[in-house]
Amino acid sequence: MSFAPRSVVLRRWQAEWEQWAGGPEAAAGLARWACDPLLAAHTGSVVAVLAACGRDLTAPVDEADAVLAALVRRARAGDLAAARVALERLMPALTGQARRRCGRRGVSFDQLLVELVGSAWIVIRCYPVERRPVKVAANLVRDAVGLAVGYVPMVDRLTAPAGLTPLPSPPGAEGVGVVASAGAVGGSGAVGELFAVLVDGRAAGIPAERLRVLADLGVLGLSQREAAARAGVSERAVRVRRDVAVGALRGALVPVGAVAS
């Protein structure tokens, strides 16, 4: 007998996962991964891959880390099936975070879970696996929570790469603003990877002004108070703008059907 969650979002997610796991996108992913030395042994089914990357708690931690890192590496290269399995791997932890934090944020469990899932998808896309190859699941969850609720890791707050201050748009270049040049940051490190996601969001049509709050918090490392002073608004307004920006990125970058609504 299968477990039926009380949450509407979790029930929909469970049903969508089961349907996806038996569908053509998952089958195509398994065929691709059969040539990957870290994934090949587990490609009998998507469930086997999921178990190997840590959903099976008896899997050796180092091996599970390596399998999840391989999936994330593929997800960063555009393999959406790999990203979907990585996201499913994180669902128990994301569910726990939503349950613990929803009351403090004054939102429903379902609402916060959707927000965390969308943030996790973005984090999976930009996770610097070469620099942070261990404790991958824990790091992904922590980064997803940070993106959703505003925590900025100290290592990022102490990093202020040159050339990231929002720039005025040159003539003929509409509102590039915060994403003026990906080359300004380079591709290495969590800050640079977040910047790359903001570039993707801008390319997908999200206005630069909407993304700027995430650049202030996550790229420049400002606190919410500092970001509020910079923009001349309240800290609550910064939190609202952050939530709107995360929602916009989720809508632009998360595949249709990946987040139950």
Side-chain angles (χ1 to χ4, degrees), residues 98-107 112:
R99 186 172 290 114
R100 285 193 290 274
R101 293 172 181 272
C102 61
R104 278 181 272 167
R105 297 202 70 207
V107 298
L112 183 54

Side-chain angles (χ1 to χ4, degrees), residues 36-40 42 49-54 59-74 82 86 89 127 129-130 132-137 140:
D36 188 309
L38 290 171
L39 301 177
H42 314 292
V49 179
L50 180 62
C53 70
V61 174
D62 290 348
E63 293 179 17
D65 242 3
V67 172
L68 182 56
L71 288 171
V72 171
R73 193 174 291 111
R74 285 180 168 271
R89 164 66 182 88
Y127 181 76
V129 67
E130 293 79 10
R132 300 164 70 192
V134 298
K135 299 184 179 178
V136 176
L140 288 170

Side-chain angles (χ1 to χ4, degrees), residues 175 200-211 245 248-250 252-253:
D200 286 349
R202 186 66 189 95
I206 301 174
E209 287 300 325
R210 183 165 294 178
L211 296 173
L249 282 172
R250 182 174 65 240
L253 302 180

Side-chain angles (χ1 to χ4, degrees), residues 106-221:
V107 298
S108 70
F109 166 81
D110 281 0
Q111 181 181 344
L112 183 54
L113 181 60
V114 168
E115 186 175 345
L116 287 171
V117 168
S119 298
W121 181 274
I122 295 167
V123 167
I124 289 167
R125 283 201 57 181
C126 69
Y127 181 76
V129 67
E130 293 79 10
R131 188 170 65 84
R132 300 164 70 192
V134 298
K135 299 184 179 178
V136 176
N139 287 334
L140 288 170
V141 171
R142 182 173 62 179
D143 290 355
V145 170
L147 185 56
V149 304
Y151 168 73
V152 180
M154 181 60 68
V155 66
D156 291 355
R157 285 184 47 73
L158 296 177
T159 304
L164 289 184
T165 302
L167 303 175
S169 304
E174 180 197 354
V176 289
V178 70
V179 293
S181 171
V185 234
S188 62
V191 172
E193 297 295 344
L194 174 59
F195 192 90
V197 172
L198 298 183
V199 171
D200 286 349
R202 186 66 189 95
I206 301 174
E209 287 300 325
R210 183 165 294 178
L211 296 173
R212 183 161 287 121
V213 65
L214 293 182
D216 284 348
L217 295 172
V219 177
L220 297 181

